[in-house]
Amino acid sequence: MNTYDLNGRYAVVTGGAQGIGQATARLLAESGATVALWDVDGAAALASADRIENAVAMECDVTDWDSISKALQTTETAFGQVDILVNSAGIAGPNTLVEDYDIAAWRQIVDVNLTGTFLVNRAVVPGMKERRYGRIVNIASVAGKEGNPTASAYSASKAGVIGFTKSLGKELAEFDIAVNCVTPAAARTPIFDQMSDEHIAYMLSKIPRARFVEVDEIASMIGWLCSAENSFTTASVFDLSGGRATY
């Protein structure tokens, strides 16, 4: 993968213990950034950080404001500041029809994917505004643009991430804080363990490239969005859909 000039930058990656978050954390570190991996699975985050140079691990539940505040305080004590935020923490939930969808599961998915993204952004934005610099990337999904059947909660939560990103990007445009999101097609990560085989096959059938996206391909685009080179684009959506996205 290409690297970017992130020397002297300090980054937070939520969901950094595995999948897209882990791949992104590795690229940011290889590009010169010091990275904090925030993950609800503290042990897995620590194991991931041990394999990444200039990375530290912190247990953090993105649905809990107190947990986020504690993680941010610890990060800022260690780093001094947060220049880059990548929100990768997310869950897929069950594959079922809307009329059969478990209400508690719906709320959990929206709480992690959408409200969690809001809470973490809310925590780091004041410091970025004070320093008049920041790069934020929220992980959405092509499902948020097109909707996947039997995945209504996931699709709705990721559509919310897109709308939230566009709103926040406009709020922060004058502060040299770029807020963007990416909408990947499915990547074969541990999140697949939450999905049915039928749903996985459906997602693959919709990708003209006829394969799943690789996490390193996603990380590469995120890396540029986190760099100072991304000096103009904000409140935008970047597709990695293998040709699936129609708008």
Side-chain angles (χ1 to χ4, degrees), residues 21-200:
Q22 184 184 72
T24 299
R26 184 183 306 110
L27 176 60
L28 297 182
E30 290 174 354
S31 297
T34 304
V35 185
L37 310 183
W38 291 8
D39 202 285
V40 71
D41 188 336
L46 183 61
S48 181
D50 284 344
R51 297 191 294 271
I52 300 173
E53 189 175 359
N54 296 324
V56 297
M58 297 177 195
E59 186 171 332
C60 179
D61 179 354
V62 298
T63 70
D64 184 274
W65 178 250
D66 289 340
S67 180
I68 293 167
S69 298
K70 181 180 178 180
L72 180 60
Q73 182 179 29
T74 304
T75 301
E76 288 182 333
T77 298
F79 294 175
Q81 63 193 53
V82 174
D83 305 301
I84 296 166
L85 169 64
V86 179
N87 285 290
S88 184
I91 56 175
N95 295 126
T96 189
L97 299 173
V98 168
E99 62 263 35
D100 299 322
Y101 216 98
D102 181 74
I103 295 172
W106 172 283
R107 288 176 173 155
Q108 181 189 28
I109 293 160
V110 172
D111 206 22
V112 173
N113 295 355
L114 178 55
T115 305
T117 295
F118 155 69
L119 290 174
V120 177
N121 274 263
R122 185 181 188 274
V124 304
V125 160
M128 290 183 175
K129 286 180 72 174
E130 182 179 348
R131 292 183 295 274
R132 300 188 71 85
Y133 181 86
R135 296 291 183 265
I136 297 173
V137 180
N138 298 318
I139 310 300
S141 168
V142 69
K145 298 181 74 173
E146 300 204 342
N148 282 337
T150 71
S152 56
Y154 182 81
S155 299
S157 68
K158 293 301 187 178
V161 170
I162 293 170
F164 172 78
T165 298
K166 288 178 173 289
S167 178
L168 183 61
K170 291 175 173 64
E171 290 183 16
L172 300 177
E174 66 180 282
F175 295 94
D176 192 16
I177 302 173
V179 187
N180 295 289
C181 67
V182 294
T183 54
R188 191 174 290 281
T189 69
I191 203 170
F192 270 31
D193 296 340
Q194 303 172 36
M195 303 176 187
S196 67
D197 291 340
E198 292 80 7
H199 189 69
I200 293 171

